[in-house]
Amino acid sequence: MTPDDISQLLMADINIGIFRRGEWLKQIDLERRYSCTRIKVRNALSYLHSQRLIEHIPNRGYRVPEPNPSREKEIGEVRALLEAHAAADAIERATTADIDKLQSLAEDFRDAAYNGTSFAQMEANRAFHTVLYGFCQNEFLHELILDMRRQGPAAPIGQWQTMAQLQNSTQDHFDIVEAIRQRDLTALRGIIARHITGNLQEIDETGTSETSV
């Protein structure tokens, strides 16, 4: 089992609540759980920390990040602005073949949403948005969007805690594809903003980070 395999398994376990927000990730426990060596666990933890998916506290170790609804809400609001701006390039540059590809990826996410594991959902969501924002011509904006998706509500921890959230995200993906197909920039920007900030309302109402973007 490679460190990448362990990283995927660990993130899947965090997603389904095996390791909860704020919980310390003890290396000896991870060795036993994933039947691997200490160095592989360390490499996996180091990688996840580099992606800002877990925290490292000097002299203490690694842990699942504590929820910070206020910061996640602020990040989501900035993301909505940036991603809505980048949507113009998708309208301009996406070919028929590109749109068909996005449609296929939206279907993959739907299949993962209803039949797959939390990790499969995360990967299908990542694949859809990677293609969507691959149309962005501004390289710095593209990099910034991907970086912010890792930092904020798009980070896989706590995603899609309810079936309603999965259903909303699934429909949003199809609505995004249809807006691009119709070359409707106003609609596309509105859907993207809703896709991000609509779920942020749940943070205000529940005090927890359970977004699905």
Side-chain angles (χ1 to χ4, degrees), residues 105 108-109 112 119-129 173:
L105 290 171
D108 289 346
F109 179 77
F119 187 77
Q121 294 164 8
M122 182 177 70
E123 285 295 285
N125 187 59
R126 180 196 60 77
F128 178 87
H129 287 284
H173 287 181

Side-chain angles (χ1 to χ4, degrees), residues 5-210:
D5 293 331
I6 299 165
S7 298
Q8 294 180 14
L9 291 171
L10 179 53
M11 284 312 307
D13 282 346
I14 290 172
N15 262 295
I16 63 176
I18 299 296
F19 300 105
R20 299 185 179 278
R21 291 284 194 127
E23 184 172 348
W24 292 97
L25 300 168
K26 299 179 181 178
Q27 294 187 31
I28 189 169
D29 293 340
L30 299 180
E31 286 179 59
R32 292 169 179 167
R33 180 171 182 80
Y34 304 124
S35 301
C36 63
T37 64
R38 178 69 60 90
I39 188 64
K40 288 184 177 180
V41 167
R42 287 176 177 169
N43 289 341
L45 291 171
S46 178
Y47 170 74
L48 292 176
H49 175 248
S50 73
Q51 298 299 303
R52 304 178 192 171
L53 297 174
I54 62 174
E55 294 180 338
H56 179 248
I57 310 300
N59 302 319
R60 296 200 63 184
Y62 295 91
R63 70 178 181 183
V64 182
E66 293 276 8
N68 188 339
S70 177
R71 176 172 171 75
E72 292 174 356
K73 183 174 184 294
E74 291 173 352
I75 291 173
E77 290 170 347
V78 174
R79 278 188 47 219
L81 293 172
L82 296 178
E83 294 183 29
H85 180 78
D89 288 341
I91 293 288
E92 178 182 339
R93 302 181 69 191
T95 65
T96 300
D98 292 329
I99 295 170
D100 289 343
K101 174 65 174 178
L102 279 171
Q103 178 75 22
S104 177
L105 290 171
E107 292 169 357
D108 289 346
F109 179 77
R110 179 187 59 196
D111 292 342
Y114 293 104
N115 303 308
T117 64
S118 60
F119 187 77
Q121 294 164 8
M122 182 177 70
E123 285 295 285
N125 187 59
R126 180 196 60 77
F128 178 87
H129 287 284
T130 296
V131 172
L132 176 62
Y133 294 110
F135 298 115
C136 184
Q137 299 186 72
N138 185 315
E139 292 186 8
F140 178 76
L141 177 58
H142 182 219
E143 292 172 3
L144 184 59
I145 287 172
L146 296 181
D147 185 55
M148 293 196 74
R149 288 182 64 83
R150 286 193 294 268
Q151 290 186 57
I157 299 169
Q159 282 194 113
W160 309 308
Q161 297 286 326
T162 69
M163 181 54 68
Q165 290 170 334
L166 273 169
Q167 291 171 338
N168 289 341
S169 280
T170 297
Q171 186 59 52
D172 283 347
H173 287 181
F174 286 111
D175 289 346
I176 286 169
V177 175
E178 185 58 26
I180 296 173
R181 194 185 307 277
Q182 298 299 324
R183 310 295 176 180
D184 189 335
L185 180 58
T186 300
L188 179 59
R189 285 177 166 168
I191 295 162
I192 289 172
R194 180 190 73 204
H195 189 54
I196 298 169
T197 62
N199 290 288
L200 295 174
Q201 295 175 2
E202 297 185 34
I203 297 176
D204 290 334
E205 295 169 0
T206 67
T208 59
S209 174
E210 297 183 356

